[in-house]
Amino acid sequence: MRNIAAYLLLQAGGNESPSAADVKKLLGVVGIETDDDRLSALISELKGKSTAELIAEGSSKLASVPSGGGGGGAAAAPAAGGAAAAVEEKKEEKVEEKEESDDDMGFGLFD
């Protein structure tokens, strides 16, 4: 993933076709070592492709991946009904305090 990110950063920086040495140099600046085999495989796969082509190809592959989320679990019922009501009242009081503090600014929106 780091190799891909570095490759794309180099392309975004104006280097149309970054070499393995370019990627290795960029990652070396931040202290990341690279696996030469993986890097050379990546460079050979990406050679001659633009960033737009890569994104379009990846998007078409992601379109077939199911992305529907499972339903979330139900919230736990409060142990005591009175405690939940007290918490709710405190929340409402805080909201009201914020609204009142806006009046203290000394000017109105349409003045």
Side-chain angles (χ1 to χ4, degrees):
M1 203 56 151
R2 321 168 212 201
N3 294 334
I4 295 171
Y7 185 89
L8 291 174
L9 279 172
L10 288 166
Q11 271 194 337
N15 187 346
E16 292 293 323
S17 182
S19 66
D22 294 334
V23 172
K24 196 169 189 174
K25 181 180 176 183
L26 177 63
L27 291 175
V29 168
V30 292
I32 297 174
E33 294 182 13
T34 60
D35 180 9
D36 292 333
D37 295 333
R38 284 185 162 190
L39 182 57
S40 60
L42 174 72
I43 297 297
S44 66
E45 288 289 324
L46 298 179
K47 192 170 191 170
K49 294 184 181 179
S50 70
T51 305
E53 289 173 357
L54 295 171
I55 291 172
E57 186 178 327
S59 295
S60 66
K61 290 180 181 180
L62 284 176
S64 64
V65 175
S67 60
V87 171
E88 226 173 275
E89 287 179 22
K90 286 183 182 178
K91 287 182 183 177
E92 289 177 13
E93 289 176 14
K94 288 182 182 179
V95 170
E96 289 174 12
E97 289 177 21
K98 284 185 178 180
E99 291 173 3
E100 291 173 5
S101 68
D102 290 344
D103 295 334
D104 297 334
M105 296 182 85
F107 64 91
L109 184 60
F110 298 106
D111 288 344

